[in-house]
Amino acid sequence: MTTRVALIAIIVEEGSSTEELNRMLHDAGRYIIGRMGIPYRAKGVNIISVAIDAPQDVISSLAGRIGRLTGITAKTVYSNVVSGDDEPEGGKGKDAATHI
């Protein structure tokens, strides 16, 4: 399976969809490298970044479903790091940093 490393940027402007957002992220947990949430109280929004290593169709599907939630915007940035079945389990090899 070929996977890509990407970052999904999420802006939550309305809290009514946060339960569904958390369910979607939980369901994609096997692909998520890490996530960070920042409440920006002065503007009344929450900013979430999700680092993910998954097949491209999984990434685009997840970001699309998130972006369709009420009050939530999502955009994806893809890295040039692509791996296939020949990569070592749990990593991209010792030279992964050279691809950044």
Side-chain angles (χ1 to χ4, degrees):
M1 163 176 45
T2 300
T3 66
R4 293 192 68 181
V5 175
L7 180 71
I8 303 174
I10 304 166
I11 305 289
V12 180
E13 296 176 343
E14 200 176 300
S16 64
S17 298
T18 54
E19 187 173 322
E20 181 66 12
L21 171 62
N22 284 323
R23 186 194 62 74
M24 288 178 182
L25 294 175
H26 175 78
D27 291 347
R30 67 183 275 203
Y31 301 112
I32 293 176
I33 301 165
R35 71 187 219 186
M36 176 179 60
I38 303 168
Y40 190 7
R41 290 180 184 89
K43 299 291 182 177
V45 299
N46 292 294
I47 303 161
I48 303 168
S49 60
V50 179
I52 190 167
D53 185 358
Q56 187 163 346
D57 62 327
V58 171
I59 297 168
S60 61
S61 172
L62 176 62
R65 286 183 286 124
I66 290 171
R68 284 191 294 276
L69 293 173
T70 302
I72 297 180
T73 303
K75 298 293 179 186
T76 306
V77 178
Y78 291 91
S79 78
N80 291 323
V81 176
V82 178
S83 63
D85 290 332
D86 58 335
E87 292 291 333
E89 183 70 26
K92 304 295 175 236
K94 66 178 183 174
D95 297 325
T98 61
H99 297 300
I100 297 175

